[in-house]
Amino acid sequence: TSSWLTVSELTVDASINVATFDPNNEFLALGSRDHCITFYDTSTFHPIKTMHFPGWVSDITWGTHNHQGLIAIRGGSTLISLLNLQPIRQLPVQLRSGRGEGSSVSWSHDGRFLARACDNEVVISDSLYNFTDVASLTRGDRVRCVRFCKAAGK
């Protein structure tokens, strides 16, 4: 039997909705119900930046490849914000999102596309064209989670 080793414990002031590491495991981002996202340096686990949003931070996804410094954050009832971490600043792009806690966002593996849930719809935006919506799929029920998967040859 093996056991897990606790490396570090963080104390926070609000309920955490999402926790995610960047692709290089250099940063940890915690999104909370107090409308904040806090970035931690994983070498020290000290906070390095806290940002405020119009509502609960319910999902965070880190960009990959050409967009490795970008983060998509669902904060508020209907918006997804894009952040550029070099240096950390918000891009002048706001994307429509669904209402409620269940909505989510996901970057494609090559970092070009951003998928997001909008109530009963999945919408895909193209980062090469200022995050213009390029595809959508409507379902009969509410979409709660979107994720790109990596398929052989695609």
Side-chain angles (χ1 to χ4, degrees):
T1 313
S2 63
S3 60
W4 295 89
L5 174 66
T6 301
V7 176
S8 183
E9 292 182 355
L10 300 172
T11 302
V12 294
D13 294 331
S15 295
I16 299 300
N17 289 340
V18 60
T20 182
F21 290 94
D22 76 295
N24 297 323
N25 294 317
E26 296 173 10
F27 303 103
L28 170 65
L30 298 180
S32 64
R33 289 188 178 203
D34 68 350
H35 305 201
C36 292
I37 181 171
T38 302
F39 297 94
Y40 291 84
D41 178 335
T42 58
S43 66
T44 63
F45 284 101
H46 290 117
I48 56 173
K49 179 82 173 175
T50 297
M51 301 179 79
H52 299 275
F53 288 88
W56 293 358
V57 176
S58 59
D59 201 11
I60 302 168
T61 185
W62 297 81
T64 57
H65 299 289
N66 294 340
H67 299 291
Q68 200 161 8
L70 292 181
I71 300 176
I73 298 171
R74 185 176 180 285
S77 61
T78 61
L79 292 177
I80 294 170
S81 298
L82 300 177
L83 301 180
N84 186 341
L85 290 182
Q86 300 166 352
I88 294 176
R89 65 179 174 81
Q90 187 166 344
L91 297 177
V93 176
Q94 298 267 311
L95 305 173
R96 182 178 58 90
S97 175
R99 297 182 75 74
E101 293 181 51
S103 296
S104 69
V105 292
S106 178
W107 286 101
S108 62
H109 289 279
D110 63 2
R112 178 173 176 180
F113 298 101
L114 180 67
R116 65 189 189 275
C118 294
D119 296 319
N120 67 333
E121 186 178 24
V122 173
V123 180
I124 299 176
S125 302
D126 190 336
S127 67
L128 296 181
Y129 298 98
N130 200 32
F131 294 94
T132 301
D133 294 345
V134 295
S136 66
L137 172 68
T138 303
R139 297 182 39 97
D141 56 348
R142 186 174 187 174
V143 178
R144 298 191 183 279
C145 185
V146 293
R147 293 291 180 254
F148 279 97
C149 59
K150 196 170 188 178
K154 303 208 182 215

